[in-house]
Amino acid sequence: MRLIKQNFERDGSGLVTLFPEEPEDMWYAYNLIRPKDLLRASALRRVVTESATGSTSSTRVHTTLTIRVESLDFDPQSSQLHVSGRIAEETKFTKVGQYHTLDLELQRNFTLTKDGEEAWDSVARGIIKEACDPVRSADVWAVVMQEGLANLAVLTGARTVLRQRVEVSIPRKRGGRASDHDKGLEKFFQTTLDTLLRQIDLNESKPILLASPGFTASSFQKFIIDTATRTGNKALMAQKANLVVVHSSSGHLHALNEILQTPEVTARLKDTQYAREGKLMDEFMTLLRKDDGRAWYGPSEVEKAVEKGAVGRGGGVLLISNALFRAQDVAIRRRWVRLVDKVRDVEGGEVRTLSSEHESGKRLDGLGGIAAILTFPLDDLDEEDEGEEEGEIPNGNTNGIRALAMSHNEQTPLLTTVHVVPPPPRYRHSTLRRFCTIALATSLIVVVAIFLIPINWLPHHSWDDGWSSDEARPASQGMAYRELQEILLETPNQAKVREWSQYYTSGPHLAGKNLTQALWTREKWQEFGVQDSNIVAYDVYLNYHLDHRLALLESRQKSAGDQVAGKDYDIKYECKLEEDVLHGHPAMNPGPRVPTFHAYSANGDVTAQYVYVNFGTFWDFDDLVKANVSLEGKIAIVKYGRGFRGLKIKRAQELGMVGVLIYSDPQEDGDITEQNGYKTYPDGPARNPSSVQRGSVDFITIGPGDPTTPGYPSKPGVPRQDPSYQIPFIPSLPISYQDALPLLQALNGHGPQASNFNEYWQGGGLGYKNVSYNIGPSPSSLKLNLMNKQEYVTRPIWNVIGIINGSLADEVVILGNHRDAWIAGGAADPNSGSAALNEVVRSFGLALEKGWKPLRTIVFASWDGEEYNLLGSTEWVEEYLPWLSNAAVAYLNVDISCMGSGFVVAASPLLHKAIYDATSMIQSPNQTVPGQTVRDTWDGYIKTIGSGSDFTAFQDFAGVPSANMAYRRTAQDPVYHYHSNYDSFHWMEEFGDKHWQHHLTIAKLWALIAASLIENPIIHFRATDYAKALASYVQKTKAKADNSKKLDGPLSESSTTGQHHQAAFLSLEAAVERLHNATVRFDRQAAAVQHRVQRGDIPWWKWWQKIKLSIEVKKVNDGYKYLERQFLHGDGLDGRNWFKHVVFAPGRWTGYAGATLPGLTEVVEDRNATGVEKWSKIIEGKIDAATRSLKY
């Protein structure tokens, strides 16, 4: 935009003449021109003339018109601006008052006049300055694509514009039609390139982003370079350095926001306006998640913050959408202009006007169009003044009539002005009387509070239970703690746990299809005494099975006499894809069965050769790539185990494979196999050959929860994101080893054998079935046809939430288990946990009936949707994150209470002491010597917490210390049919837990651990355990970094780099040592405080000592409660920013297994020296923050 003329008067009126030079300038004009302005521009006007004879003729003439603007219409795709209004100055061809629409054109002047006071305000002048800035940010082109689809967009300083969409049908690779696919892909690339070249000027050097899932973008880059070389197009070849290839989760335009946040793109575009705006919005959202009072949004809240001087020098930033300045009402526009002027000119803060046509502006529009980052926290901006709500006169304004008026729009009714007159005073000297009343009432309240607050804060019971005098003993209101323990140990019984198991396993209860079970669970809990039990629903993205097929095809050569010469295929084996029906056997659950399918699997119908890929781990695929095994375009056949199933598919599709089959190999069954002479289920403990493991194939290490609402609760009406970044785009099927056998046998003799690879490829439980575990690929004459058809819907799921309110509302312990199952049974997963949870609830309900009231609040949760992607728990945590961040003490999870005899527990280090104490008090169901406790028969190893169950959102997103425990299968236990129809009530009673003792043990352990956390005046944590664990994690990661120095990569490029990484770990070790010293002191002080509470010897009249002790108790408990939260990093982990914890996360290529110091571990594995330096500093900062939080 070129400024031709400018004339502003002192009162703010005036005019400008502007010369738009490029389409972007029309966007600035659209934001500058407002209703009631005068606009003068050239126009093409149709003029009708009448001759003397009465005949008429119509001609079009070029003229210059001046209109009083009434409305504007801007087309963002074509950058055309149409301004309509009434003629304000008479011309030869027009009269005043006639209606006309001016189409502003490039390379033609227009003059804009604004009348009235403050018409040319600071915002309008700022738009002119920005539009006419000759060094305005250059354009960036982006091609967001996937096979057959390309979106060409341009990113300017103010807008993101979709310029062209290319769609070309590409045949699938199937049945010998690979050449058709290649031709279709080449045609697609050529069409996309031709379209791009029509849009860009090759003489300009601007970045061109090429983004896609998989390898489409990199293939397109290669096509561009090859085309430039083949055609000798030097200008196109010169653009090679400008091509930036990045990975995206989708080929649709919405993925652009994700693309712009990738490191390679941010490095290239760091100085652009939209990059700075995006960074500001990310900073705002991070502060908002922290909920520390420094991030506020919404008109009234931001205005209050500005009034309080919180958006000023020292970091205050006002974020405002330019859409607010396009308001039709002048008063509304002036409101925002004055707010901007006050922040920038009076308070000295920064003002950022975000474009509503950029992703950052759209995010801001979703928050009401205005937000602020404050220089200091404010906590009460959303608390409206009660006087104003009730129509009172604010600020004591009683000298007139106050008019309450509200402008209307299409979303509000017409409101009339209401006049409110203040009432006359009732008494003389009313101010003095009011002051005396308030003073006397306040004095009385203070006196009562001085005596009552200490009494309410401190527990005051008898301490005549059996705890030793040197231990800090818990406090139970209404009964002795020993009596509470006896109730929790004696209430659970075999008959009840069996009854609950039989109910839950009596029919299908998939996620989103178990409302009757949710209602039943709520009713039972209410019967048990937990009256505050309710159903909390979320609308989530789910899929259900429609159809599937898997067939082994063998080609045959047709004779010349056939109608069609060439190859055709015979069906060599048609897979059943279902489990055997055990007619008349008690093992078979009655009623309908759930088909075999994967949650979030992609629809597709592919025919291709196939390859055996072992367990399909990242490292297995790496071995195949190094061995030059052809994977692209093939179907993978994979064994379950050694990692989450969805990550097997993720890696397969990244390597260009077109489908995945996953089966359960007897290799994972230990000693209990048919090969070793054991009968198969239901006649024996070995695996039934037809059993199929269903399950989810989402990319769990990117983030759990509804993939269409990442990071926020999936409530009705919320905006939905494209889920393709988190779920596969190639089809997959779960199959039995019975169906896998013919496929594996057909590979015999083709390709290398698994035994030729490293130790991780050895084994395989089907050798006795004539399977040699050849890798393949299968010969071209032998292919698989894989068809998968799913219905994707958004529908409700139902959590059941029960609450027992304690004396301390801001300290909460949560116990949870999920209720949904993959099959009609689910006797182990999850309903052994559901049965145990019911007994825990019943036990606490009985204690309530006998007069007990907990010190801390208890929440019980029966989650829905866990099997799909931890849906119910994650959405609940995302919805109640501010409350959980303030109040949650711990989350105790039981997914499966029993599937074998081996006790296993994973937990945050803070919970280790509570777990060891509880396991030392309960008799083990696996006693070899009478009287042995669980602790006696367990090796004492507590695993690092990973993912795969409902603790994930609590531990990794909200920073709530979590634990998960179960009796798992050992190598000598009967085979557990995971996610199979044979996970039945019959299997549990005959093979899994014959006398239900493991169920009862888990119920008692669960209740006792909860009770110790609920009832101790000082939270039953030990911070020193955390420091010791951190020290071991640092040493483990350091050893991995030392080993990486032996490999090629940044960590070994120079001794200086090595010194940097050594220095980084030395700093971490020093930080851990400081934390260890702080935790030792803190635990010692906590024990001393608990001992003083235990003595209970402060007389009531020494109220000041009671207050002091109460404050000390609160301070210690806050230190313990918030310690885990100190390790949350707002930006999250690299590449998976939903995970916020810097100490714990699921391994990025394992899923279930936990990784420690994941951000640092991953950059070490990638041999990224810069990343090591970055993450060591982040972790050191978090450790130091934890150290400071424990200062007593």
Side-chain angles (χ1 to χ4, degrees), residues 736-754:
S736 65
Y737 83 70
Q738 186 179 73
D739 273 342
L741 266 173
L743 315 184
L744 295 169
Q745 290 166 348
L747 283 178
N748 287 350
H750 299 289
Q753 284 190 311

Side-chain angles (χ1 to χ4, degrees), residues 25-88:
D25 294 337
M26 290 303 177
W27 169 251
Y28 287 103
Y30 174 55
N31 284 279
L32 192 61
I33 301 170
R34 297 268 52 83
K36 299 185 181 179
D37 291 349
L38 285 174
L39 178 65
R40 182 177 179 84
S42 61
L44 189 65
R45 178 83 177 182
R46 187 169 69 89
V47 178
V48 178
T49 57
E50 185 175 351
S51 66
T53 61
S55 62
T56 60
S57 62
S58 175
T59 59
R60 291 188 175 273
V61 297
H62 282 279
T63 184
T64 300
L65 299 179
T66 302
I67 66 171
R68 180 73 68 177
V69 177
E70 294 184 359
S71 64
L72 297 91
D73 179 34
F74 179 69
D75 183 353
Q77 302 299 322
S78 60
S79 295
Q80 293 182 348
L81 178 58
H82 313 289
V83 186
S84 301
R86 302 283 177 180
I87 301 294

